[in-house]
């Protein structure tokens, strides 16, 4: 399938994508037409999914696709039911031959109800042996009419038909130059032409025009913040960020943001409200999670990209090594979990001999879970006492943030578990002082 568009690609651009309905494929080739600013894109249509009628969209990155699109239709396999006439007394050709396409009523016919013959831009074709001739297709009668080409000798040739010059009928019929004869050959696999296929284009009209843009017309160039640092560092092509603040560093609980558009004329909205590029906007924060959505729309209003900044505001004594949630597999934590609460207890039935923990760290660092190794009489004293430098640990596991820990053993009586954010190897993090959570 070939699509013709207007526009200019940036130098060095190497890939283009086509989307047929919901199916995305990489363009097989594309080039700028000589003497014009038109871009020719060729894509191989994927197998039909569900709908016969889909819309073909174009993308330069495989993520953002054109708003407009061109109609594309899948038809059933073509099968020739009859040929009239099946012979020619003349070797010079010129006989008008009509081939009838077999209708399959169980499948809604060859084309179904959504087919619009007015969008056909490539003439049908007939192949008499290796010779290709143009044909006329009548969608109302499902007949293909073509004129038999000349032949050098009296012979029989196989006749196939195609509606797009690429996919041919699943069977062929015989046409005789010389003595009259009429019979239909057995069905065979689809055949393709050995000659080069010349691709035509979907109609270039307002109804079928595929709009697209090249470059960062809907991107931010910079984001300036009054407090904190974005994680990861800002880049125009990255759209999700995290930032950690505390109440002592944000006394008025207001974050001031100054977004700068990459191109003049782009429209910026923050939380649904229009803001000017390179103008500072105050945003009121609350303790806990705050989601800020910055949408950038290109000047022609065809493309919109949204940047998401998750701002987590902690109490002043909570560090970047804190946990964001903690859930044991048995029992309920007392008190209810909070990032700035470090000591918990829970009651588990005596018939439970193992326990797991589901925990996540604020910066998505791994979480270590350890069973403290001490006599039962000392476990409660350790839990009640002040934070300590180290304890003897019986078993320790490091688990990715937000994933369930391995099973840890439970003894009848007191069991003390320590949890903290850590590195993948179990070492200390650089994002803040160590914070130890204890569950008795």
């Amino acid at each position: 399938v070939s699509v013709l568009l207007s526009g200019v690609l940036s130098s060095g651009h190497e890939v283009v994508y086509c989307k047929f309905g919901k199916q995305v494929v990489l363009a097989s080739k594309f080039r700028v037409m000589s003497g014009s600013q038109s871009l020719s894109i060729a894509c191989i249509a994927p197998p039909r999914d569900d709908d016969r009628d889909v819309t073909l969209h174009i993308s330069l990155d495989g993520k953002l696709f054109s708003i407009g699109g061109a109609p594309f239709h899948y038809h059933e396999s073509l099968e020739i039911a009859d040929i009239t006439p099946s012979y020619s007394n003349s070797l010079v050709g010129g006989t008008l031959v009509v081939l009838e396409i077999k209708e399959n009523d169980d499948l809604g016919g060859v084309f179904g109800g959504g087919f619009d013959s007015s969008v056909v831009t490539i003439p049908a074709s007939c192949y008499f042996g290796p010779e290709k001739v143009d044909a006329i297709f009548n969608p109302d009668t499902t007949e293909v009419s073509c004129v038999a080409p000349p032949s050098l000798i009296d012979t029989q040739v196989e006749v196939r038909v195609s509606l797009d010059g690429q996919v041919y009928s699943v069977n062929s019929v015989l046409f005789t130059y010389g003595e009259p004869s009429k019979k239909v050959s057995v069905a065979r696999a689809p055949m393709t032409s050995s000659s080069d296929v010349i691709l035509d284009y979907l109609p270039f009209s307002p109804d079928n025009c595929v709009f697209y843009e090249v470059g960062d017309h809907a991107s931010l160039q910079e984001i300036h913040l009054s407090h904190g640092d974005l994680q990861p560092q800002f880049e125009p092509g990255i759209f999700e960020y995290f930032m950690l603040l505390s109440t002592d560093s944000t006394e008025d609980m207001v974050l001031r943001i100054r977004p700068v558009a990459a191109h003049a004329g782009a429209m910026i909205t923050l939380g649904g409200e229009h803001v000017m590029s390179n103008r500072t906007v105050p945003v009121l924060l609350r303790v806990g999670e705050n989601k800020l959505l910055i949408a950038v729309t290109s000047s022609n209003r065809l493309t919109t990209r949204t940047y998401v900044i998750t701002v987590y505001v902690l109490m002043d004594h909570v560090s970047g090594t804190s946990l964001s949630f903690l859930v044991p597999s048995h029992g309920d934590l007392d008190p209810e979990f909070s990032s700035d609460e470090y000591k918990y207890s829970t009651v588990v039935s005596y018939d439970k001999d193992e326990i797991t923990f589901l925990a996540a760290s604020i910066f998505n660092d791994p979480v270590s879970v350890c069973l403290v190794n001490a006599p039962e009489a000392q476990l409660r004293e350790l839990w009640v006492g002040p934070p300590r430098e180290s304890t003897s640990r019986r078993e320790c596991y490091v688990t990715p943030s937000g994933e369930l820990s391995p099973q840890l053993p439970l003894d009848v009586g007191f069991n003390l578990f320590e949890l903290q954010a850590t590195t993948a190897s179990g070492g200390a993090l650089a994002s803040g002082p160590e914070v130890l959570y204890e569950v008795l």
Side-chain angles (χ1 to χ4, degrees):
V1 179
S2 291
V3 185
L4 189 65
L5 306 98
S6 64
V8 181
L9 278 180
S10 59
S11 176
H13 193 84
E14 297 181 348
V15 293
V16 176
Y17 298 84
C18 299
K19 183 166 72 169
F20 293 77
K22 298 179 180 179
Q23 302 187 79
V24 178
V25 295
L26 190 66
S28 56
K29 59 182 178 179
F30 62 93
R31 64 187 178 92
V32 177
M33 305 291 284
S34 59
S36 71
Q37 297 296 330
S38 298
L39 178 66
S40 168
I41 301 173
C43 291
I44 304 298
R48 190 180 83 189
D49 193 358
D50 292 318
D51 298 330
R52 288 185 173 193
D53 295 283
V54 297
T55 301
L56 172 59
H57 296 277
I58 302 298
S59 172
L60 301 180
D61 59 7
K63 299 176 182 178
L64 297 174
F65 284 84
S66 57
I67 295 176
F72 184 80
H73 184 85
Y74 287 90
H75 61 69
E76 297 297 333
S77 298
L78 302 178
E79 184 176 354
I80 302 174
D82 198 8
I83 179 172
T84 307
S86 62
Y87 66 94
S88 172
N89 288 324
S90 172
L91 296 181
V92 299
T95 302
L96 179 64
V97 178
V98 178
L99 298 111
E100 180 184 346
I101 306 299
K102 182 178 180 180
E103 290 272 18
N104 191 328
D105 294 333
D106 294 337
L107 299 175
V110 175
F111 303 98
F115 180 68
D116 181 4
S117 60
S118 66
V119 303
V120 174
T121 58
I122 299 178
S125 56
C126 298
Y127 268 83
F128 288 76
E131 296 294 326
K132 176 187 176 183
V133 294
D134 288 342
I136 298 175
F137 169 66
N138 186 335
D140 296 325
T141 61
T142 65
E143 292 178 342
V144 176
S145 303
C146 50
V147 176
S151 176
L152 297 177
I153 57 174
D154 290 344
T155 185
Q156 278 189 330
V157 296
E158 293 186 26
V159 181
R160 293 169 286 135
V161 297
S162 173
L163 299 184
D164 56 16
Q166 300 180 64
V167 179
Y168 297 86
S169 52
V170 296
N171 70 330
S172 60
V173 294
L174 295 178
F175 182 82
T176 303
Y177 288 92
E179 293 296 325
S181 173
K182 180 179 180 180
K183 64 178 181 178
V184 178
S185 68
V186 296
R188 60 185 62 200
M191 301 177 66
T192 60
S193 168
S194 60
S195 60
D196 291 336
V197 175
I198 300 176
L199 300 178
D200 201 349
Y201 302 100
L202 291 169
F204 190 67
S205 70
D207 291 336
N208 302 314
C209 187
V210 180
F211 300 98
Y212 76 102
E213 293 179 299
V214 181
D216 293 331
H217 294 275
S219 298
L220 291 178
Q221 180 179 326
E222 300 172 302
I223 299 179
H224 299 276
L225 304 166
S226 59
H227 307 296
D229 298 309
L230 293 178
Q231 299 288 338
Q233 186 175 348
F234 178 79
E235 290 185 16
I238 299 177
F239 300 97
E240 293 191 21
Y241 298 89
F242 180 84
M243 187 167 65
L244 185 67
L245 299 175
S246 63
T247 53
D248 63 341
S249 65
T250 317
E251 294 181 0
D252 57 358
M253 294 300 286
V254 173
L255 177 66
R256 291 165 179 83
I257 302 178
R258 179 161 56 91
V260 181
H263 284 264
M267 182 179 70
I268 302 175
T269 59
L270 174 57
E273 297 293 329
H274 176 70
V275 299
M276 298 292 291
S277 176
N278 207 22
R279 295 286 182 87
T280 301
V281 181
V283 177
L284 184 63
L285 301 176
R286 60 181 177 81
V287 174
E289 184 179 272
N290 301 262
K291 285 230 181 255
L292 309 181
L293 304 181
I294 305 175
V296 186
T297 303
S298 60
S299 58
N300 61 9
R301 304 302 182 254
L302 290 179
T303 306
T304 297
R305 290 172 171 170
T306 302
Y307 295 84
V308 181
I309 303 176
T310 302
V311 182
Y312 207 98
V313 181
L314 304 174
M315 301 300 290
D316 54 5
H317 52 283
V318 177
S319 81
T321 60
S322 300
L323 299 183
S324 57
F325 67 81
L326 171 60
V327 181
S329 58
H330 307 302
D332 298 318
L333 294 181
D334 182 21
E336 186 176 339
F337 178 79
S338 175
S339 293
D340 56 353
E341 186 75 41
Y342 306 120
K343 293 181 182 291
Y344 301 89
S345 64
T346 185
V347 178
V348 179
S349 173
Y350 73 91
D351 60 347
K352 305 294 184 185
D353 57 5
E354 290 180 319
I355 191 171
T356 60
F357 292 92
L358 181 64
S361 61
I362 285 181
F363 273 148
N364 208 32
D365 295 306
V367 177
S368 70
V369 183
C370 298
L371 174 60
V372 175
N373 184 26
E376 182 183 350
Q378 295 180 14
L379 291 177
R380 182 172 174 81
E381 294 179 8
L382 290 172
W383 178 73
V384 173
R388 52 200 174 274
E389 291 295 326
S390 63
T391 54
S392 174
R393 292 167 173 174
R394 189 166 127 198
E395 290 189 41
C396 273
Y397 299 98
V398 176
T399 305
S401 178
E403 294 188 14
L404 201 64
S405 74
Q407 298 272 8
L408 291 107
L410 284 174
D411 296 325
V412 175
F414 288 113
N415 300 263
L416 181 59
F417 298 93
E418 296 178 339
L419 299 94
Q420 65 185 123
T422 183
T423 63
S425 60
L429 293 168
S431 53
E434 290 188 8
V435 176
L436 188 69
Y437 294 82
E438 298 174 287
V439 180
L440 182 68

